[in-house]
């Protein structure tokens, strides 16, 4: 095995080890925090039933056992069968069923939105940096500041009023048709576009001032070639770091928007589980989001190490 391959192998193993430890801590902390939360989900579900009947239901969900024993049983089921747990409020419905049914809906919106965020944000950031201190740069920077400062639910309310109610260009509620994607995808994408634009602009300005760019200009290289071969590629390195959380957020980053637009996605179901004190479902979905987030970060770390070899050599 070559030395470079050995470095990369050690780099990947270290990242996977750290991620497994992180996941274990998240699962453990989530379980005990939810288990220790005030309130009784069984009483909320069947509060009018006799105490004996409530005891039977508690025994079915294992809530009559000590919290440590429940934790060990949950971890065993999770590791051996991948079972995230059964809903307390909706008998016969498991977190796995909810994920299988609702995650693709959130994924469709998230993938489209993230694609728009990266594509538009990178282009605007590059244009802004290449036209630094010009009118276009100032306009883009003002728009970025506004998009970052204004919360997404404010944009959602404004678009609902103007686009849907006043101009009737797109529906507010409903799901299943292309027109139903317009408002939620737009709202979801706005903040991300602003963030990518901001970071791409800063990264590009930093790269433009590097010695190799100055040397390329001095040798008479065309501007288009310098931008395509040198500036764009090296400016994208910090953007790679942002892609991991963005991909993980595809499933769990749109809770409020799914609720506002009545989208039957995973985020909407998670909010409903919290309001219903459905502890088992909350734990299962939280762990699912944590696994996605961790996998995304591992992928970004590996990709980052491939794009910039200095990272894996320094950290291995």
């Amino acid at each position: 095995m070559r030395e470079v391959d050995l470095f990369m192998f050690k780099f990947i193993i270290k990242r996977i080890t750290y991620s497994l430890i992180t996941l274990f801590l998240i699962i453990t902390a989530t379980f005990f925090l939810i288990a220790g939360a005030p309130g009784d989900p069984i009483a909320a579900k069947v509060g009018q039933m006799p105490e004996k009947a409530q005891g039977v239901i508690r025994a079915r969900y294992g809530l009559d056992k000590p919290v440590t024993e429940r934790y060990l049983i949950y971890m065993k089921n999770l590791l051996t069968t991948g079972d995230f747990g059964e809903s307390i409020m909706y008998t016969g419905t498991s977190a796995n069923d909810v994920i299988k049914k609702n995650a693709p809906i959130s994924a469709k919106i998230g993938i489209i939105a993230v694609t728009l965020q990266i594509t538009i944000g990178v282009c605007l950031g590059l244009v802004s940096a290449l036209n630094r201190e010009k009118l276009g740069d100032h306009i883009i920077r003002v728009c970025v500041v506004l998009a970052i400062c204004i919360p997404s639910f404010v944009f959602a309310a404004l678009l609902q009023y103007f686009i849907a109610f006043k101009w009737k260009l797109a529906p507010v509620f409903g799901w299943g048709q292309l027109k139903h994607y317009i408002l939620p995808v737009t709202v979801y994408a706005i903040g991300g576009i602003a963030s990518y634009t901001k970071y791409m602009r800063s990264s590009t300005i930093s790269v433009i001032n590097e010695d190799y760019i100055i040397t390329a200009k001095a040798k008479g290289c065309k501007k288009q070639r310098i931008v395509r071969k040198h500036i764009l590629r090296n400016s994208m390195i910090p953007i790679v770091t942002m892609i991991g959380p963005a991909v993980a957020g595809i499933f769990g980053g749109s809770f409020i928007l799914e609720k506002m637009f009545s989208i039957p996605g995973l985020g909407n179901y998670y909010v409903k589980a919290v309001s219903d004190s459905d502890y088992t479902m909350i734990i299962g979905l939280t762990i699912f989001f944590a696994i996605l987030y961790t996998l995304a970060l591992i992928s970004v770390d590996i990709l980052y190490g491939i794009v910039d070899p200095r990272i894996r050599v320094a950290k291995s």
Side-chain angles (χ1 to χ4, degrees):
M1 183 179 291
R2 295 180 303 173
E3 184 177 358
V4 175
D5 294 335
L6 180 60
F7 274 133
M8 195 61 197
F9 178 75
K10 290 170 62 179
F11 180 81
I12 293 173
I13 293 298
K14 183 178 287 188
R15 289 296 175 272
I16 293 175
T17 302
Y18 288 159
S19 299
L20 291 176
I21 295 173
T22 301
L23 270 179
F24 171 76
L25 294 175
I26 291 174
I27 294 172
T28 303
T30 300
F31 185 92
F32 283 101
L33 285 173
I34 297 299
D40 186 349
I42 299 300
K45 179 182 179 182
V46 291
Q48 302 300 321
M49 294 180 65
E51 186 65 29
K52 185 176 181 180
Q54 292 187 30
V56 173
I57 297 177
R58 284 191 175 86
R60 174 184 174 178
Y61 291 101
L63 297 177
D64 58 332
K65 297 181 175 62
V67 65
T68 304
E69 184 178 349
R70 286 158 47 194
Y71 168 74
L72 294 175
I73 294 173
Y74 187 87
M75 289 295 291
K76 179 183 177 182
N77 293 334
L78 181 63
L79 295 175
T80 56
T81 64
D83 183 11
F84 288 101
E86 182 181 352
S87 171
I88 295 177
M89 299 302 296
Y90 303 97
T91 304
T93 301
S94 67
N96 300 63
D97 296 331
V98 172
I99 292 169
K100 184 177 180 180
K101 179 181 178 181
N102 299 83
I105 298 175
S106 297
K108 290 177 183 178
I109 297 177
I111 290 173
I112 297 173
V114 170
T115 302
L116 291 175
Q117 289 174 0
I118 297 172
T119 304
I120 298 176
V122 167
C123 291
L124 288 178
L126 187 62
V127 169
S128 180
L130 295 176
N131 296 276
R132 189 178 182 186
E133 301 303 330
K134 296 181 180 179
L135 178 61
D137 179 34
H138 292 306
I139 293 175
I140 291 174
R141 290 169 65 186
V142 169
C143 293
V144 165
V145 171
L146 290 175
I148 291 176
C149 294
I150 299 175
S152 60
F153 63 84
V154 175
F155 281 119
L158 290 173
L159 289 179
Q160 284 178 338
Y161 175 74
F162 287 104
I163 302 297
F165 292 114
K166 192 170 183 178
W167 299 331
K168 301 186 183 302
L169 298 176
V172 177
F173 305 115
W175 186 251
Q177 300 180 35
L178 184 61
K179 61 184 179 180
H180 297 137
Y181 287 80
I182 297 174
L183 290 183
V185 167
T186 301
V187 175
Y188 196 151
I190 288 175
I193 290 173
S195 297
Y196 282 108
T197 301
K198 176 184 176 183
Y199 285 102
M200 186 64 184
R201 179 183 182 275
S202 300
S203 179
T204 303
I205 290 174
S206 176
V207 170
I208 289 174
N209 295 324
E210 292 289 343
D211 291 339
Y212 60 87
I213 300 297
I214 299 174
T215 302
K217 291 180 180 178
K219 288 182 177 180
C221 290
K222 294 182 179 180
K223 183 177 180 180
Q224 293 84 351
R225 179 178 176 82
I226 294 175
V227 171
R228 186 177 65 255
K229 294 292 185 179
H230 301 291
I231 296 177
L232 182 59
R233 179 179 178 181
N234 291 284
S235 298
M236 285 293 294
I237 292 177
I239 302 299
V240 172
T241 308
M242 301 174 61
I243 294 177
V247 171
I250 284 175
F251 295 93
S254 58
F255 291 177
I256 297 176
L257 297 183
E258 288 187 9
K259 194 69 175 178
M260 291 185 69
F261 290 102
S262 297
I263 299 171
L266 207 58
N268 192 2
Y269 203 98
Y270 188 88
V271 173
K272 189 175 182 181
V274 173
S275 62
D276 291 339
S277 297
D278 195 346
Y279 294 166
T280 308
M281 193 65 67
I282 295 172
I283 294 172
L285 294 182
T286 301
I287 293 172
F288 174 71
F289 292 139
I291 291 173
L292 287 179
Y293 198 85
T294 304
L295 289 175
L297 292 182
I298 291 176
S299 302
V300 168
D301 278 343
I302 295 173
L303 181 60
Y304 206 62
I306 294 173
V307 173
D308 190 352
R310 295 172 299 177
I311 301 299
R312 63 172 182 260
V313 171
K315 294 185 177 182
S316 295

